[in-house]
Amino acid sequence: MRGTGRPRTFTAAVVTACVLGSALQAGSAGAVAGCAQESGHWAPTGYVSAAAYGARGDGVTDDAAAVQCAVNSGSDVWFPTGTYELGASVSLPTALKLTGESDSPTPTVIRGTVPGLVLGETAAATNTTRTGTITLQDLFFDSIQVGVNGTRTSAVLERNVFSDARGHISQLNSPANQQLVLNRVIGTNRVTDSVFLHGDRSTDAVAMSLYRTTGLSIQRNVIGLELSESGRLEDWPGHANWTERSSDGTVNPSPARVSLPAKLAALRTALALGDSQGHYRSGLYTGFDSLLNVDSNIFDADPATPSLRDHAAYLKGVSGRFTRNWIRGWPNAAEGGVKVRNSDGPLTVGANRLVDTPVLLYVYSDPTYPLTLRDVDVCANVLEVATHDDPAHAGITYYENVRPAGLSGIRVHRNTFADPTHTTGVTAGQLAPAVLSQTEADAITVYASNSYQDTGGTVPVTVPAGITLAPVAGAPASDACGGLTAPSYAARAYGG
């Protein structure tokens, strides 16, 4: 529904993408020649309409220059429903919102048209003076990478959808095909209630890639989806935030937003998306992120993905919490599950439900990351085991390939193993040329509170010959998973 100048009832949506570095300041002159605002284009209070600067949203016209003009106006930008093709990068200042329409079943789509396209700049910004919050809400990004860089920038992304109908994610960051990149953002940061789709089996896609973020919260997102089953998203915790009325005081809070399944159905038809949208190398890739909170997300990859698999969540050098997530589709092997590597903690991996995929604790020889694993709790997870293709890496495992490895305070407690064979448990091993020492094994405490779901019996602990690591009674002095319960979710198998 395109605004025509007459007031109407509307619940706004926000789309913002910005990367600091050489990003244009709001109101900068001369960045785009011939910028002129036309009257008669409705927008919520405090916003300007992208249509007022000539953006057509017809899925054909290159709207990059018009969008840049709207951004340079200094106001938050609203996008009427439509498909906005961008054939060039759009550079955004900090403290800016771009808003899409949420009361229409047709989503607001931002699409890339050339390889190397990104919203914002490419620099891993070192600017220390520019501050602000980059906000993206209710946008559908297709075949485009969204990147936010900035040492004094906050990023807020809510109710967005990322897809890749063109078989590549246009990008400037490496490696290729990262849909969302957050680099050095700090402060009140969050990525919530969003959906990540990728249907191309030939590329190694990563949904979210992080580096040196601080205080980032990733909650209630869906990574991977069988689109024919999108109606089941009504059981997903983030679903309500797509249908409730807007809490944005600058926008009329009525009527209610259109539901996510309705918009996904429209997107599927418009972009000719296939059913399987879960072809991911990794759902979440991190590096030196501190105070990270990853909670109540769904990681649901298509197990038929033939390309490289590199963990549902790869947590490198991270502190924070990874809790109450539902994970399926990565193998019950060394490439699967949740991998924690080279961390100084504190870090809690707790109350997650892992369907046929493990928790992996590693120290690798790496010149970038510390050769340590410290202050890590693995607790209250439920591990459902149906396959035993790689018993050495199933369940909860610790491995190292470097000596010496600095280990301390690794606690494994109150995990439940749903394995009818009663063979999956806890493994502490070694990778050549390293050899696990008794001192290192003593830094790992496995509690007798880990049990099998059907019998309550204590799970086995497997270690190299000559090493002692037996389950101990009791509990840690402080339960990092106290009050947390692993989620359940009624997702059907891909192609089912």
Side-chain angles (χ1 to χ4, degrees), residues 16 33 104 122 147 167 175 179 234 249 263 276 322 365 419 426:
T16 314
S104 167
T122 60
Q179 290 176 302
E234 294 180 358
K263 288 202 171 189
S276 174
F322 186 91
S365 178
D419 178 9
V426 179

Side-chain angles (χ1 to χ4, degrees), residues 130-142:
R130 212 178 280 155
T131 62
T133 300
I134 308 306
T135 305
L136 297 85
Q137 295 172 331
D138 297 299
L139 280 182
F140 286 57
F141 295 99
D142 182 66

Side-chain angles (χ1 to χ4, degrees), residues 67-270:
V67 172
Q68 188 70 71
C69 284
V71 165
N72 291 353
S73 72
S75 297
D76 296 333
V77 181
W78 177 67
F79 289 81
T81 188
T83 298
Y84 297 83
E85 293 281 350
L86 301 183
S89 297
V90 173
S91 301
L92 306 180
T94 57
L96 186 70
K97 291 182 179 180
L98 306 177
T99 301
E101 192 162 349
S102 65
D103 64 341
S104 167
T106 303
T108 299
V109 181
I110 308 293
R111 301 195 75 186
T113 57
V114 294
L117 176 63
V118 66
L119 287 176
E121 298 299 323
T122 60
T126 57
N127 189 297
T128 59
T129 59
R130 212 178 280 155
T131 62
T133 300
I134 308 306
T135 305
L136 297 85
Q137 295 172 331
D138 297 299
L139 280 182
F140 286 57
F141 295 99
D142 182 66
S143 305
I144 188 171
Q145 182 186 86
V146 175
V148 184
N149 295 329
T151 55
R152 293 175 63 85
T153 301
S154 297
V156 174
L157 296 92
E158 300 172 319
R159 297 181 308 277
N160 300 292
V161 174
F162 297 79
S163 60
D164 185 22
R166 289 175 170 150
H168 72 275
I169 302 165
S170 299
Q171 53 83 42
L172 290 175
N173 289 297
S174 181
N177 292 328
Q178 299 174 93
Q179 290 176 302
L180 173 62
V181 177
L182 299 177
N183 188 0
R184 300 178 187 269
V185 293
I186 187 169
T188 305
N189 302 295
R190 62 183 182 271
V191 180
T192 60
D193 306 316
S194 295
V195 177
F196 294 80
L197 308 173
H198 191 262
D200 183 9
R201 294 188 178 195
S202 65
T203 56
D204 297 327
V206 175
M208 283 181 271
S209 181
L210 317 177
Y211 185 68
R212 293 192 182 276
T213 66
T214 302
L216 174 62
S217 182
I218 298 174
Q219 293 183 291
R220 301 182 305 274
N221 301 286
V222 174
I223 298 171
L225 182 65
E226 170 77 8
L227 277 182
S228 64
E229 296 293 322
S230 63
R232 289 175 175 265
L233 287 174
E234 294 180 358
D235 299 328
W236 165 51
H239 181 265
N241 293 326
W242 281 83
T243 56
E244 291 177 354
R245 293 178 175 180
S246 174
S247 59
D248 188 338
T250 65
V251 179
N252 192 321
S254 177
R257 296 187 177 98
V258 175
S259 72
L260 176 60
K263 288 202 171 189
L264 287 177
L267 184 75
R268 181 185 182 189
T269 299

Side-chain angles (χ1 to χ4, degrees), residues 241-334:
N241 293 326
W242 281 83
T243 56
E244 291 177 354
R245 293 178 175 180
S246 174
S247 59
D248 188 338
T250 65
V251 179
N252 192 321
S254 177
R257 296 187 177 98
V258 175
S259 72
L260 176 60
K263 288 202 171 189
L264 287 177
L267 184 75
R268 181 185 182 189
T269 299
L271 301 183
L273 298 178
D275 285 343
S276 174
Q277 293 294 319
H279 296 286
Y280 280 101
R281 168 185 178 177
S282 182
L284 176 65
Y285 218 88
T286 74
F288 285 119
D289 300 280
S290 60
L291 303 177
L292 180 65
N293 178 36
V294 183
D295 182 75
S296 300
N297 302 281
I298 292 172
F299 296 79
D300 190 12
D302 187 338
T305 302
S307 56
L308 176 66
R309 312 309 299 279
D310 203 19
H311 316 293
Y314 202 157
L315 308 176
K316 295 189 290 185
V318 168
S319 68
R321 296 174 68 80
F322 186 91
T323 55
R324 298 188 297 183
N325 301 288
W326 189 92
I327 302 161
R328 181 182 71 173
W330 281 265
N332 203 12

